[in-house]
Amino acid sequence: MTTAPYARDKTMTPEEVVDRLSSGMTIGIGGWGSRRKPMALVRALLRSSVTDLTVISYGGPDVGLLAAAGRIRRLVTAFVTLDSIPLEPHYRAARQRGAFALMEIDEAMFMWGLHAAANRLPFLPVRAGLGSDVMRVNPELRKVTSPYEDGEEFVAMPALRMDAALVHLNRADRLGNGQYLGPDPYFDDLFCEAADAAYVSCERLVETRELTEGAGALPTLLVQRHSVTGVVETPGGAHFTSCVPDHPRDEPFQKAYAAAAADPVAWADFAARFLPPDGDEKSYREAVRVWHEEQK
């Protein structure tokens, strides 16, 4: 990978990313459940006044936190889970009180919606969803018939186009090239390509040449600079979700999060300690460190 003469430094802070977002936007959030979520960017978003969002996500605590804060107007998702805890508790509570509109679709439908948006298509035909209640619970969805002799009928999955995407990767350079080192890409490249602007947080910023060192490095270069607007170095920025191999999911902290979410008083205490409106990522990491010390 060479550096073109027009390439520029795209490094930003979490706060600078959020300054580019505004209420009413459609925001895509990468990762999967409680795995490699751009949580530092989500926490920065929570500290802002941005609200009334349409959120597109294979959901985890990103959705849960935004739901708890009342920032979501509409959610497009295939699931919202903490993985080791099957159902995200804030999401469940928000749905039970009808806090936002929901488009709940099959995982494959979601993926093809990303593909359609990344390829600037209005929709893509997909078999997923046929024979299920997905069409009943999403009456805005349409079917399309093949124009060829087979005449087969498909779901016409609409493009999941976004104003901005937030993703977290293991490594990135200052130009916007991003690398994953874990077991799965989680479609983060599609989120970036399906959005008008994409912001990549990473565990560590490296020189471009480091991204291509070693056998088999090239297939891990998931995100290319042409689709990236800004890069943020946030060590531990996926916490408490996993970012393998840099760190596993913080299961004890996730359990504490879920337990606090079950009680309004406990959640108010949790949020005041770990998510104060005047905090930042450094103070969050320190609060988590102190909490772990208290658990010993």
Side-chain angles (χ1 to χ4, degrees):
M1 183 180 295
T2 60
T3 301
Y6 53 82
R8 61 181 178 84
D9 189 324
K10 297 179 181 177
T11 53
M12 306 173 72
T13 66
E15 290 71 26
E16 287 172 334
V17 169
V18 172
D19 283 346
R20 295 186 174 211
L21 307 180
S22 59
S23 295
M25 276 187 165
T26 296
I27 305 295
I29 305 177
W32 180 280
S34 193
R35 309 176 210 180
R36 215 175 67 223
K37 285 289 181 176
M39 297 303 292
L41 300 183
V42 172
R43 288 187 283 269
L45 184 56
L46 290 171
R47 294 191 294 269
S48 77
S49 61
V50 175
T51 190
D52 195 37
L53 297 171
T54 294
V55 174
I56 298 173
S57 175
Y58 285 110
D62 54 326
V63 170
L65 285 170
L66 292 171
R71 306 298 182 90
I72 301 176
R73 175 176 58 85
R74 180 173 182 260
L75 175 66
V76 181
T77 191
F79 53 75
V80 184
T81 178
L82 298 179
D83 292 326
S84 58
I85 299 173
L87 188 60
E88 214 289 339
H90 284 308
Y91 166 76
R92 177 177 59 192
R95 284 296 299 149
Q96 287 174 341
R97 65 177 184 270
F100 49 73
L102 175 66
M103 183 182 190
E104 186 177 19
I105 52 179
D106 178 90
E107 292 175 20
M109 294 174 68
F110 192 107
M111 178 188 70
W112 285 108
L114 294 177
H115 272 292
N119 287 281
R120 305 302 189 269
L121 297 172
F123 73 93
L124 278 173
V126 58
R127 290 189 178 91
L130 293 173
S132 75
D133 278 343
V134 72
M135 304 298 289
R136 180 183 62 80
V137 300
N138 297 288
E140 70 274 22
L141 290 176
R142 299 290 182 266
K143 295 180 181 179
V144 63
T145 302
S146 168
Y148 299 103
E149 291 181 1
D150 59 277
E152 188 173 353
E153 190 174 60
F154 301 92
V155 175
M157 180 60 207
L160 296 178
R161 191 69 194 162
M162 310 159 202
D163 295 304
L166 311 176
V167 306
H168 186 79
L169 294 170
N170 299 90
R171 303 287 182 267
D173 65 14
R174 295 177 181 274
L175 309 179
N177 300 298
Q179 181 178 48
Y180 80 103
L181 301 176
D184 200 301
Y186 304 132
F187 307 110
D188 285 350
D189 53 334
L190 292 180
F191 274 93
C192 292
E193 293 168 8
D196 294 338
Y199 302 95
V200 176
S201 60
C202 65
E203 294 291 317
R204 186 159 64 90
L205 276 175
V206 300
E207 295 298 321
T208 303
R209 65 177 180 275
E210 294 182 56
L211 298 175
T212 58
E213 289 176 349
L218 287 177
T220 69
L221 293 178
L222 182 66
V223 173
Q224 306 300 315
R225 65 175 185 260
H226 72 270
S227 62
V228 174
T229 308
V231 181
V232 184
E233 185 177 42
T234 55
H239 185 271
F240 53 89
T241 73
S242 63
C243 188
V244 178
D246 290 297
H247 60 81
R249 184 182 305 122
D250 188 341
E251 292 287 1
F253 191 85
Q254 177 168 277
K255 289 179 181 177
Y257 164 86
D263 178 73
V265 174
W267 178 250
D269 291 341
F270 184 98
R273 180 172 186 178
F274 299 107
L275 303 166
D278 59 347
D280 57 20
E281 196 60 17
K282 182 178 179 181
S283 63
Y284 172 81
R285 291 197 300 268
E286 177 61 15
V288 172
R289 185 195 67 79
V290 172
W291 180 86
H292 274 289
E293 288 293 322
E294 294 170 355
Q295 308 310 303
K296 295 180 179 178

